[in-house]
Amino acid sequence: MKPLYALSLLVATLPAIAQDVASLTAETKKAVLPVVPKVVNAMQEALADKGVAGAIPVCKEQAPELIKAKRQETGWDIRRVSLKPRNAERGTPDLWEARQLADFNIRAANGEKPETLEKSEVVQIDGKPVFRYVKALPVGDVCLKCHGPADGLDASLKAKLAESYPQDQATGYSKGEIRGALTVKRPL
Ligand code: HEC
């Protein structure tokens, strides 16, 4: 193929790819994002009813369960990740996710609102196109009880966390910081 022809083909396809990313993003958000307020509401209720140590299962079991249900419904790979995970087994980001999370921190420092931070991209994995979407999960008041500065945490909660997560990195956050992200991978 002549280089100029190849270039004009590429230029002709670029808007189509951009269009694709926009519609894939919209479709993905519509399917997956309703999980976020569900977890936050369940968290608020559990904290009010059961206290902070009693609310651990919401972030530990209920959030992963809701995500698992979405995974089964959509067939997509959906997870929660963090640069400072509490559960490293489930929550360690891959390279692409780590890069986006680092970028979210930079974008937030430059004044973007944490709750608006997201990124979509079509990438190649093992030679096949995969749509990736990631959305920041900012720290709100309710999160501070379990992810805030370690010396301010409830004693019984601390004991439970130490027991289940000896390698816990997920304390020391303040309100508005980015706790982690919801991440989606869709093979195309
Ligand atoms: C009652 C305690 C508690 C509260 C409140 C809480 N979390 Fe968590 N969070 C946990 C626990 C426990 C885990 C580990 C879950 C697991 O084992 O997968 C966790 C894990 C996470 C993870 C997965 C990545 C990781 O670090 O392992 C994210 C993201 C997260 N929390 C965000 C939040 C956000 C955002 C809020 C506020 C809306 C919040 N959490 C409130 C206890 C809590």
Side-chain angles (χ1 to χ4, degrees):
M1 201 185 289
K2 289 215 171 74
L4 205 61
Y5 178 59
L7 185 67
S8 62
L9 252 188
L10 181 67
V11 170
T13 356
L14 277 179
I17 294 171
Q19 177 57 43
D20 244 30
V21 169
S23 53
L24 285 165
T25 303
E27 198 185 68
T28 303
K29 289 172 73 167
K30 194 167 166 219
V32 175
L33 292 193
V35 167
V36 177
K38 268 194 205 158
V39 173
V40 176
N41 290 341
M43 185 63 78
Q44 264 152 354
E45 275 170 29
L47 283 171
D49 289 356
K50 301 185 187 126
V52 68
I56 287 181
V58 177
C59 232
K60 184 175 180 176
E61 280 135 33
Q62 205 169 334
E65 278 303 316
L66 283 167
I67 288 172
K68 194 171 148 202
K70 270 289 164 211
R71 226 185 279 150
Q72 281 164 350
E73 181 191 313
T74 57
W76 308 333
D77 179 359
I78 311 167
R79 295 185 309 131
R80 286 187 310 174
V81 291
S82 173
L83 289 175
K84 296 198 303 167
R86 175 153 286 166
N87 186 339
E89 202 182 310
R90 283 204 277 228
T92 300
D94 66 17
L95 188 60
W96 187 88
E97 289 158 342
R99 223 184 265 144
Q100 308 316 324
L101 280 163
D103 195 46
F104 286 168
N105 285 335
I106 295 169
R107 286 164 63 184
N110 282 322
E112 280 187 60
K113 289 207 175 85
E115 63 275 16
T116 64
L117 293 167
E118 61 179 5
K119 168 82 180 177
S120 310
E121 198 177 350
V122 174
V123 301
Q124 299 288 321
I125 299 178
D126 299 328
K128 297 200 179 83
V130 175
F131 172 72
R132 304 203 67 168
Y133 172 77
V134 64
K135 177 173 179 59
L137 299 170
V139 174
D141 284 322
V142 69
C143 319
L144 290 174
K145 293 202 156 59
C146 294
H147 296 295
D151 51 8
L153 299 184
D154 174 274
S156 67
L157 172 84
K158 253 184 167 167
K160 284 204 169 172
L161 289 178
E163 197 184 299
S164 301
Y165 309 101
Q167 315 286 338
D168 188 9
Q169 299 182 63
T171 57
Y173 286 90
S174 45
K175 196 177 168 183
E177 278 189 297
I178 295 155
R179 176 63 264 279
L182 191 66
T183 173
V184 184
K185 264 202 276 189
R186 294 175 59 178
L188 295 177

